[in-house]
Amino acid sequence: MLNISGIEEGYVIDHIRAGSCMKIYDALNLDKCEGEVAIIKNAKSGKLGKKDIIKIEGLVPLDLELLGFLDDNITVDIIKNNKIIEKKSLSLPDKITGVAVCRNPRCITSIEQGLKQTFILSDRKRHIYRCMYCEERL
Ligand SMILES: [Zn+2]
């Protein structure tokens, strides 16, 4: 059984905006994760009021860029031997590939199906991404 208060080896994805843990769960494909996953909704948090937390047993590959793109307030604790060995704070990635689809019907990515959809961060403050090919806003 997964001990909710601590995991021997794995991740604690913390400071998830309350109510959005399932979005994170889906984005990280945690339904396919072999290890144990605990989802804690509406945990009390001094900073946010309420927050969600996801704990993952096992050091599975984790897409930190994608996490940062979804919510850059998230922090990820990496746990080994029951200790936090690293705390990662996330930031908006400069570039994100394969996550979103360009809405411009004339964009080359709409015509050439094989092309990877890539978006470039154009305004960090306002969280605005634009298509690498046509500059359509995400
Ligand atoms: Zn485009």
Side-chain angles (χ1 to χ4, degrees):
M1 257 303 273
L2 176 65
N3 179 354
I4 297 294
S5 63
I7 40 183
E8 202 185 305
E9 190 173 271
Y11 305 102
V12 176
I13 305 174
D14 202 352
H15 303 107
I16 301 169
R17 202 180 311 114
S20 64
C21 62
M22 290 317 290
K23 192 177 86 183
I24 304 290
Y25 181 94
D26 288 339
L28 293 176
N29 288 319
L30 290 177
D31 56 331
K32 295 192 183 74
C33 179
E34 304 254 309
E36 286 177 297
V37 178
I39 293 169
I40 299 150
K41 285 181 68 174
N42 300 324
K44 284 193 183 72
S45 163
K47 202 167 91 185
L48 303 167
K50 272 181 186 172
K51 63 179 181 180
D52 292 353
I53 303 166
I54 299 176
K55 295 186 180 189
I56 304 169
E57 180 91 59
L59 294 169
V60 295
L62 207 58
D63 191 340
L64 294 176
E65 278 204 341
L66 173 62
L67 267 179
F69 171 71
L70 293 169
D71 184 348
D72 62 336
N73 290 314
I74 288 175
T75 58
V76 178
D77 298 339
I78 301 172
I79 295 162
K80 269 189 179 165
N81 301 319
N82 297 304
K83 283 198 196 91
I84 297 174
I85 59 156
E86 202 179 340
K87 256 184 191 296
K88 281 186 185 290
S89 37
L90 303 181
S91 56
L92 288 177
D94 296 325
K95 193 167 115 175
I96 188 93
T97 298
V99 175
V101 175
C102 182
R103 285 174 305 188
N104 177 3
R106 283 177 312 232
C107 178
I108 185 149
T109 60
S110 309
I111 299 154
E112 288 194 30
Q113 300 295 325
L115 269 184
K116 280 225 169 98
Q117 302 266 354
T118 300
F119 290 83
I120 310 279
L121 183 61
S122 73
D123 187 334
R124 185 169 291 276
K125 241 191 200 142
R126 290 161 60 210
H127 291 203
I128 293 170
Y129 281 84
R130 289 186 187 280
C131 175
M132 186 175 91
Y133 301 98
C134 71
E135 302 206 330
E136 175 85 3
R137 196 171 151 177
L138 182 60

